[in-house]
Amino acid sequence: MGSTVVLEEKWPVLGKHERAAEWLRVWTDLGRAPRTIDAYARGLAEYLEMCDREGVAPVTANRAHVAVYVRELNERPAAAARTWWRLTRVRAWPMPPSSSD
């Protein structure tokens, strides 16, 4: 739980979404490295911020909402690799990861 609190300090939006903390705890429990959890938290926080701006609940977001997120990612420098990496995090959330992920 302590690592989740630290992540919420870095990205306050995570504290507004209970499922986000649960999702990150599952990854931690599966033994992912702290830097990996940090990267997952950063990507998830960016997605949750977009959902907040668009006024949509993240668990009910549809393809159009994800398209807005993709557009925002593609507007950044060196976007292609980061876009696909971040989309894999969004695609997996809010479902709990399996031990094979």
Side-chain angles (χ1 to χ4, degrees):
M1 174 105 163
S3 64
T4 304
V5 172
V6 172
L7 295 173
E8 289 174 5
E9 289 173 5
K10 290 172 84 171
W11 298 286
V13 69
L14 295 174
K16 295 181 354 184
H17 299 277
E18 183 178 324
R19 298 285 307 266
E22 292 172 9
W23 187 79
L24 290 167
R25 268 193 301 276
V26 170
W27 283 108
T28 302
D29 292 346
L30 287 171
R32 296 301 191 263
R35 285 187 176 179
T36 300
I37 301 301
D38 189 74
Y40 290 177
R42 180 179 55 246
L44 181 56
E46 291 176 353
Y47 174 71
L48 295 174
E49 288 168 350
M50 183 279 307
C51 287
D52 286 352
R53 279 193 312 275
E54 295 295 313
V56 63
V59 295
T60 62
N62 59 34
R63 289 177 190 245
H65 300 115
V66 174
V68 169
Y69 179 61
V70 170
R71 185 189 72 232
E72 289 178 9
L73 292 175
N74 284 330
E75 291 172 352
R76 300 177 185 178
R82 290 184 189 140
T83 296
W84 291 113
W85 184 89
R86 284 191 170 93
L87 280 176
T88 61
R89 299 303 99 212
V90 170
R91 183 180 56 105
W93 189 80
M95 297 182 50
S98 69
S99 59
S100 64
D101 284 341

